[in-house]
Amino acid sequence: MENGSEKQTARRGPATPLPAAEAPFDAIGLARELLRSVRSGALATIDTEDGTPFASLVTIATDVDGTPLMLLSRLSAHTRNLLADPRASLLFSVGGKGDPLAHPRLTVTGQVRKTESQQARERFLARHPKAKLYADFPDFGFFALTPSAGHLNGGFAKAATLTQAELLLDPAIAENLATGEAGAVSHMNADHADAIALYAVTAGEEPGPWRLTGLDPEGLDLLAGDRTARVTFPRPVEDMGSLRKVLVEMASAARSADPSSGPAN
């Protein structure tokens, strides 16, 4: 006859992550923040020789809807693997002090294929300006990972699974901003560097110089040297009109909290 401890052991099985919608924390928000803020991660592909998982380090950006983007060389083993079998996964991890496993990380699975999208190219190079030195080499190309699922570990006792719809933004809404993104980014960097600096500091970042590299319905992507920052909007925006209103509100709120920053534009 089993005693109490044996019964307890028998009942205890592997922990199963909850769907993101049922998680007791903002799993979707955390996953999307990791997607947008991490600039490099581990790409796992399937070796063409024997099917062994092959992991390598790659630089990452995102399209307006959150689709992960990479610039890969055909001479690399991971690219050869992908051209033979597009199935892959990407690990996004911010790291930090202390136990590495105490920090949030996200694994996104899906299929990786080459993209000729000019928008994807511009967003990647804005996030990784040094890549302009080799982006046009004949063996390099831009690739996009179309997610099928995500697995989030937000730290101790925080795990959730995500669907493609939970990882990515509505493509129709994202495209509303994509058409005007380049102009808005250029205008903000040229004429409102002070506001960009305020956004970064208000989000908890150290002073810059910060510059805007991209925007989407949920927030701004900032870059200062090798540092990145993600600034989330107080509410999602759907077009350039609502974007401008939110940016003005955010700058005004930041200046009100810090009068030494000067008057609002």
Side-chain angles (χ1 to χ4, degrees):
M1 180 181 249
E2 293 181 333
N3 59 35
S5 62
E6 289 174 337
K7 288 181 179 180
Q8 187 177 14
T9 301
R11 287 195 300 267
R12 187 183 301 131
T16 302
L18 291 171
E22 300 176 20
F25 65 102
D26 184 10
I28 296 175
L30 178 55
R32 289 180 175 178
E33 181 179 350
L34 288 168
L35 271 176
R36 298 291 189 179
S37 59
V38 176
R39 295 179 70 216
S40 64
L43 170 67
T45 58
I46 300 172
D47 189 273
T48 58
E49 296 295 327
D50 59 7
T52 301
F54 179 86
S56 53
L57 181 67
V58 295
T59 49
I60 312 168
T62 56
D63 212 334
V64 180
D65 67 349
T67 297
L69 304 171
M70 296 168 284
L71 176 59
L72 306 177
S73 168
R74 289 197 305 274
L75 302 179
S76 300
H78 51 234
T79 308
R80 294 196 298 271
N81 292 342
L82 291 170
L83 293 176
D85 188 334
R87 290 177 297 169
S89 66
L90 267 174
L91 172 64
F92 298 77
S93 177
V94 292
K97 296 181 179 179
D99 184 354
L101 298 182
H103 300 283
R105 59 268 189 197
L106 171 71
T107 297
V108 179
T109 59
Q111 298 199 2
V112 177
R113 290 187 171 85
K114 191 172 182 180
T115 175
E116 302 295 340
S117 166
Q118 183 65 22
Q119 176 177 291
R121 173 190 172 89
E122 292 174 356
R123 284 184 63 87
F124 185 94
L125 294 179
R127 198 65 164 165
H128 300 279
K130 293 179 182 178
K132 294 176 183 177
L133 295 173
Y134 52 85
D136 292 320
F137 287 4
D139 59 297
F140 275 86
F142 293 92
F143 289 75
L145 184 150
T146 301
S148 57
H151 183 283
L152 173 69
N153 190 314
F156 180 73
K158 286 185 176 181
T161 57
L162 299 100
T163 65
Q164 181 188 79
E166 290 168 332
L167 288 167
L168 303 183
L169 303 180
D170 184 327
I173 295 176
E175 283 305 311
N176 285 341
L177 285 184
T179 55
E181 180 190 20
V185 168
S186 177
H187 169 68
M188 290 295 295
N189 285 329
D191 299 333
H192 299 288
D194 56 338
I196 294 173
L198 282 175
Y199 300 149
V201 172
T202 303
E205 301 293 336
E206 295 294 325
W210 292 97
R211 55 187 295 273
L212 184 61
T213 64
L215 54 87
D216 58 78
E218 292 189 336
L220 305 173
D221 295 323
L222 307 183
L223 184 69
D226 292 326
R227 291 184 292 153
T228 62
R230 175 67 176 173
V231 178
T232 303
F233 296 142
R235 60 183 181 277
V237 301
E238 296 187 357
D239 51 40
M240 284 297 159
S242 58
L243 170 68
R244 184 180 185 282
K245 290 179 181 179
V246 165
L247 292 178
V248 171
E249 290 174 12
M250 290 169 60
S252 296
R255 290 187 171 96
S256 297
D258 180 12
S260 65
S261 61
N265 289 335

